[in-house]
Amino acid sequence: EVQLAESGGDSVQVGGSLRVSCEMSGMTYSTYCWGWFRQVSGGEREGVAAIDSDGRVNYADSVKGRFTISQDNARNTLYLEMSLLKPEDTAMYFCGAEGLWCRSQWWDFGYWGQGTQVTVSS
């Protein structure tokens, strides 16, 4: 069973930066896709960024140029570096994973964690 544990969520001011992390265990595929999606309470899931085992990345238009996704395969850890944060970035951020390759809708994952809250205030 794939397990994902997010950490690093915090309250930051507009324009600030934050890094969230995700540790994965239990993945049995040698190649996989993993990434981040976010959700505001009662709202739709929104894909943020994803990366596959070959290092190919996808970003939502709303975060391009501000967020960077990276992975440390030796530590089975995924990172999301967020900068120039805006109030609309406030959400619960979830780490997701999918065996083999990213789905055609890259923000759609078969496994996800409990989430970590990011709050951006002015």
Side-chain angles (χ1 to χ4, degrees), residues 37-46 87-94 117-118:
F37 63 92
R38 62 191 181 187
Q39 192 166 19
V40 177
S41 179
E44 297 280 327
R45 175 187 293 194
E46 179 189 10
E88 51 264 44
D89 295 319
T90 295
M92 184 72 80
Y93 282 71
F94 296 88
Q117 178 67 37
V118 174

Side-chain angles (χ1 to χ4, degrees), residues 56-83:
R56 291 174 293 207
V57 299
N58 285 287
Y59 289 101
D61 288 342
S62 60
V63 306
K64 282 180 181 176
R66 300 189 299 121
F67 290 12
T68 302
I69 190 171
S70 62
Q71 58 188 345
D72 183 339
N73 292 324
R75 292 184 170 85
N76 288 334
T77 303
L78 181 72
Y79 303 101
L80 184 69
E81 298 271 3
M82 301 180 284
S83 63

Side-chain angles (χ1 to χ4, degrees), residues 10-25:
D10 205 347
S11 295
V12 296
Q13 292 195 325
V14 169
S17 300
L18 188 67
R19 186 178 79 166
V20 292
S21 303
C22 170
E23 291 189 34
M24 180 170 66
S25 61

